[in-house]
Amino acid sequence: MRDIDEAPLNATPPGDAARSAPPEDGPVSTYGKKAVLASSIGYAMDGFDLLILGFALSAITAELHLGNGEAGSLATITLFGAVLGGLLFGVLADRIGRVKVLTYSVCFFAVFTGLTALADGYTEFAVYRFLAGVGIGGEFGVGMTLAAEAWPARKRARATALVGVGWQAGVLLAALVSAPVLTHWGWRGLFLLGALPAVVAVVFRSRLHEPEAFTEHRAALAARRAQAAKARVPLRLLVADATTTRATAGVLVLTSVQNFGYYGIMIWLPTYLSAEFGYSLTKSGLWTAVTVVGMAAGGLVFGQVADRLGRRRAFWMFQFGSAVSVLVYSQLTSGWALLVGGAIMGAFANGMIGGYGALMAELYPTEVRATAQNVLFNLGRAVGGFAPVVVALAAESVGFGTAIAMLAVIYVIDMAAMLLIPERSATPLTTRLEPQPGVPGP
């Protein structure tokens, strides 16, 4: 009889976890649907939280007597907090569980989003935003990991795309409610509102157990103490060998471009429509909402394309579309053209958001999957955090239209970075870093 220390890492444990294991193909389980819905709800709260800052920025600037640099830095500070949260909650998720850590991160950012309403000056506001960002940093990677581990391999990109659409749902909600809430209760009421929906996510997640891929891995580690000791330094696995290091570098470029483009556009879009075309706050909100609807539609299409044609082809199609649509949008002047152009730009520029969850899930093993998702995406958020400031400074020199047009360059860089990343579409998720026969390299 083989000694327990020689038990393979892919041994299947008994209990509920085994019943949640997804097949490589076939129908999605009830557990898988619940996992994606729970992850989507949490990510929606993140989107809501970050966009209400964009809508409230003018009112905050006026009441707290902030300069343009200080105002733009508030989004940057939030995203810096997300980097710390990404590392903290990513490592915790790989250690103690995806579902538990999702709940902790939601509670954390909900508390500090609500406390933001009490801020009386720039420093206090910045501290609350940084801490809210820490909680926000846990949502993307942990939710994407949970979704990827719970759905069949051939439908994995569609699962992570649905989580990405959750973000757009939160952003759309923010675009629709910001104007009336600001009118009646001011920006403080808006941030208080941002703390409430997290309760729904906490209740929903209390009904979920951990996915089979995670519990299987933890059971194996418990039987192999030496492997468990190595797992205490998960970050080293992001650069475990030359292929993994190249993939990590490529993913970091992708997430940086994704976040830089998104925040460069969305944080200033209401201001751009108001300053350049004289739109009211309500009209700016509606036009922004249409852009967000385009983003959600793009995310759903991307999931289908990525599962059918492969990750690399899907990303290249959407990256090219992003470069072209951003350039075209910056030249539009009529209301209807801005409405349609905004939806198309949103579909391409943010349609890729759900693809990162599937892409990274297939690149990294279970022992470091949530860490990789959170660390790499939130490092990209840190780079993207400079976008509101960069766009503001560029707009002062060349105008908002040209500043937005300049964002097209980053998507060309994005296309080149895809060459560093191996194509592993719909492959079984690995429990440890090891060669995969028959999997093409970059």
Side-chain angles (χ1 to χ4, degrees), residues 315-329:
F315 272 102
W316 272 337
M317 289 169 60
F318 275 68
Q319 288 158 350
F320 178 78
S322 297
V324 173
S325 61
V326 165
L327 275 175
V328 171
Y329 184 81

Side-chain angles (χ1 to χ4, degrees), residues 23 28 45 88 200:
V28 180
M45 299 307 98
L88 172 65
V200 178

Side-chain angles (χ1 to χ4, degrees), residues 178-393:
S178 289
V181 172
L182 283 168
T183 301
H184 292 92
W185 296 291
W187 65 268
R188 297 181 188 275
L190 197 56
F191 280 97
L192 284 174
L193 182 64
L196 296 178
V199 177
V200 178
V202 172
V203 171
F204 199 98
R205 284 172 183 160
S206 68
R207 303 173 184 272
L208 280 176
H209 58 77
E210 296 295 341
E212 183 271 343
F214 174 77
T215 53
E216 170 189 316
H217 175 64
R218 296 310 300 171
L221 286 185
R224 299 178 64 177
R225 294 182 180 180
Q227 186 69 24
K230 292 180 182 179
R232 291 173 188 168
V233 193
L235 289 178
R236 68 181 175 81
L237 297 181
L238 302 185
V239 289
D241 52 50
T243 299
T244 305
T245 301
R246 285 196 302 271
T248 296
V251 171
L252 188 55
V253 173
L254 262 62
T255 58
S256 297
V257 168
Q258 176 67 40
N259 284 286
F260 197 95
Y262 180 83
Y263 293 112
I265 294 169
M266 292 304 294
I267 291 296
W268 288 110
L269 187 58
T271 302
Y272 172 63
L273 294 172
S274 176
E276 296 291 321
F277 306 105
Y279 287 11
S280 66
L281 182 62
T282 299
K283 190 173 182 179
S284 294
L286 289 174
W287 258 239
T288 302
V290 172
T291 301
V292 173
V293 170
M295 291 178 174
L300 294 174
V301 172
F302 185 91
Q304 293 284 340
V305 173
D307 277 337
R308 295 174 188 277
L309 301 182
R311 314 301 186 230
R312 186 177 289 171
R313 289 180 181 177
F315 272 102
W316 272 337
M317 289 169 60
F318 275 68
Q319 288 158 350
F320 178 78
S322 297
V324 173
S325 61
V326 165
L327 275 175
V328 171
Y329 184 81
S330 68
Q331 305 303 310
L332 302 178
T333 55
S334 74
W336 283 107
L338 286 165
L339 194 69
V340 175
I344 295 173
M345 177 179 67
F348 282 111
N350 211 59
M352 297 175 281
I353 188 68
Y356 299 103
L359 184 73
M360 287 188 273
E362 291 159 351
L363 290 174
Y364 302 99
T366 303
E367 61 192 310
V368 73
R369 187 168 296 127
T371 300
Q373 297 258 19
N374 262 0
V375 169
L376 296 180
F377 190 79
N378 284 298
L379 282 175
R381 268 180 169 168
V383 175
F386 289 103
V389 176
V390 171
V391 170
L393 293 175

Side-chain angles (χ1 to χ4, degrees), residues 20-225:
S20 68
E24 293 308 309
D25 198 2
V28 180
S29 67
T30 300
Y31 174 82
K33 293 175 182 178
K34 288 181 178 179
V36 166
L37 180 58
S39 299
S40 298
I41 291 173
Y43 203 32
M45 299 307 98
D46 282 7
F48 183 90
D49 179 272
L50 283 170
L51 195 66
I52 60 175
L53 176 61
F55 278 101
L57 209 51
S58 296
I60 294 168
T61 300
E63 183 175 331
L64 301 183
H65 309 291
L66 306 180
N68 285 340
E70 288 178 319
S73 72
L74 292 175
T76 304
I77 289 168
T78 304
L79 299 177
F80 282 169
V83 176
L84 176 60
L87 175 58
L88 172 65
F89 289 114
V91 171
L92 280 175
D94 281 329
R95 282 181 171 276
I96 67 174
R98 285 52 164 128
V99 177
K100 286 181 182 177
V101 173
L102 277 168
T103 304
Y104 298 158
S105 64
V106 170
C107 291
F108 198 92
F109 92 74
V111 168
F112 288 103
T113 295
L115 287 174
T116 303
L118 306 178
D120 289 325
Y122 173 78
T123 301
E124 189 178 358
F125 196 104
V127 168
Y128 287 142
R129 291 309 302 161
F130 178 83
L131 292 172
V134 172
I136 287 171
E139 282 296 306
F140 176 87
V142 183
M144 288 293 187
T145 298
L146 177 60
E149 291 177 347
W151 272 45
R154 295 188 182 277
K155 298 177 181 178
R156 189 177 294 136
R158 275 166 273 191
T160 56
L162 287 170
V163 178
V165 169
W167 170 280
Q168 307 309 338
V171 169
L172 180 60
L173 180 63
L176 294 175
V177 307
S178 289
V181 172
L182 283 168
T183 301
H184 292 92
W185 296 291
W187 65 268
R188 297 181 188 275
L190 197 56
F191 280 97
L192 284 174
L193 182 64
L196 296 178
V199 177
V200 178
V202 172
V203 171
F204 199 98
R205 284 172 183 160
S206 68
R207 303 173 184 272
L208 280 176
H209 58 77
E210 296 295 341
E212 183 271 343
F214 174 77
T215 53
E216 170 189 316
H217 175 64
R218 296 310 300 171
L221 286 185
R224 299 178 64 177
R225 294 182 180 180

